[in-house]
Amino acid sequence: KNFTPPTAAYVEIDEGGIGSNDTNCITLLHFDNNATNSSSISQTWTKNQYVLYSSSVKKFGTHSMYGQYGAYTFESDPNPNGDFVNNTGIFYNYLTGDWTAECWFTTPDGNASYSSVLFSLQGYNTGFGYYPYFDIAVTSTGFYLRHATVNTDFDYNQFFTATIASNVWHHCAVVKKDGAISVYIDGVVKASGIAWTYTPNSAWNYSVVGTYNYGYIDEFRFSNIARWTTNFTPPTIPYV
């Protein structure tokens, strides 16, 4: 029977939702030389003055995000100095349920020993600094999970061993499922069963990708579901 030939390129379909920009995708940043969020949810991301785009080092697409103690941060009204303003972060409404924050990252030779924060949720209070606070930070020997409600001390500051090789792209996924945090590096669980004890409120003023990042980040996605609960094979294509 006759048919109408396709008018667009074929795309790979990921039935498991791992490699897709689906309805559970809240934020999708390709970092292709712009701050565009590619998910279906309208939001504005703005990079601060210390962040660059790299066309020579990237995992997918045309560029990645490159920082030297910079941050790629969601702000509705950033000031010229790159400081943060009081603004409810885009992820705030999703933190009480299951969620997944993930990205690809790589650190160059000589910089892997620095702590690079891949993802953080932060509040801002002029009397207490950037609190409450939650982040995941990587070094050459592993990663930290940190959570604080006030600036006096971390509620937890745990280090987990993992091999983070320089000049190699690694996939990192932080998954919250049923009130507990798990962390996967290159699809292998490195930490699990970490209690998420803080109930989000309006103090979570902004969400950050790449704070004090010594290296490159690509293909950041935040989802309102737990994408993985067991070891998995990281995606080999960009999310579409």
Side-chain angles (χ1 to χ4, degrees):
K1 184 178 179 178
N2 293 343
F3 65 93
T4 301
T7 58
Y10 296 118
V11 297
E12 182 174 343
I13 297 192
D14 174 49
E15 296 180 351
I18 293 175
S20 60
N21 178 9
D22 55 25
T23 57
N24 297 115
C25 178
I26 306 304
T27 296
L28 178 58
L29 303 173
H30 297 297
F31 301 119
D32 284 339
N33 205 32
N34 59 56
T36 301
N37 167 51
S38 297
S39 79
S40 61
I41 297 179
S42 177
Q43 58 192 249
T44 300
W45 284 78
T46 304
K47 73 180 182 69
N48 77 12
Q49 61 182 340
Y50 301 110
V51 173
L52 303 173
Y53 297 111
S54 171
S55 61
S56 60
V57 181
K58 71 268 189 182
K59 178 63 180 179
F60 300 119
T62 63
H63 294 74
S64 69
M65 184 269 281
Y66 174 65
Q68 291 181 323
Y69 61 89
Y72 197 98
T73 177
F74 173 76
E75 301 175 79
S76 63
D77 186 21
N79 68 41
N81 294 325
D83 296 328
F84 301 107
V85 296
N86 188 19
N87 178 64
T88 299
I90 191 65
F91 304 144
Y92 157 67
N93 292 325
Y94 306 98
L95 296 180
T96 56
D98 297 342
W99 52 263
T100 303
E102 56 176 303
C103 68
W104 288 89
F105 70 94
T106 184
T107 55
D109 284 338
N111 287 335
S113 60
Y114 289 98
S115 178
S116 298
V117 178
L118 301 181
F119 166 69
S120 66
L121 301 163
Q122 303 178 23
Y124 179 73
N125 183 301
T126 56
F128 295 98
Y130 299 109
Y131 295 90
Y133 187 91
F134 171 83
D135 75 13
I136 177 169
V138 296
T139 72
S140 59
T141 56
F143 62 92
Y144 292 92
L145 275 179
R146 298 178 289 199
H147 177 209
T149 52
V150 296
N151 66 343
T152 54
D153 200 2
F154 286 104
D155 300 326
Y156 58 74
N157 183 5
Q158 301 185 45
F159 180 78
F160 300 90
T161 301
T163 300
I164 310 295
S166 297
N167 293 317
V168 175
W169 282 100
H170 298 280
H171 184 266
C172 177
V174 183
V175 181
K176 177 174 176 274
K177 173 68 173 176
D178 296 332
I181 297 289
S182 298
V183 179
Y184 298 83
I185 302 294
D186 296 329
V188 178
V189 65
K190 298 296 184 180
S192 62
I194 303 169
W196 173 269
T197 58
Y198 186 77
T199 301
N201 57 46
S202 58
W204 295 95
N205 294 322
Y206 56 91
S207 311
V208 182
V209 179
T211 310
Y212 300 106
N213 177 54
Y214 292 85
Y216 305 82
I217 294 178
D218 208 351
E219 207 68 6
F220 175 86
R221 181 174 68 168
F222 183 90
S223 306
N224 63 354
I225 59 172
R227 293 280 182 182
W228 299 283
T229 56
T230 60
N231 292 349
F232 62 92
T233 300
T236 58
I237 58 174
Y239 299 125
V240 295

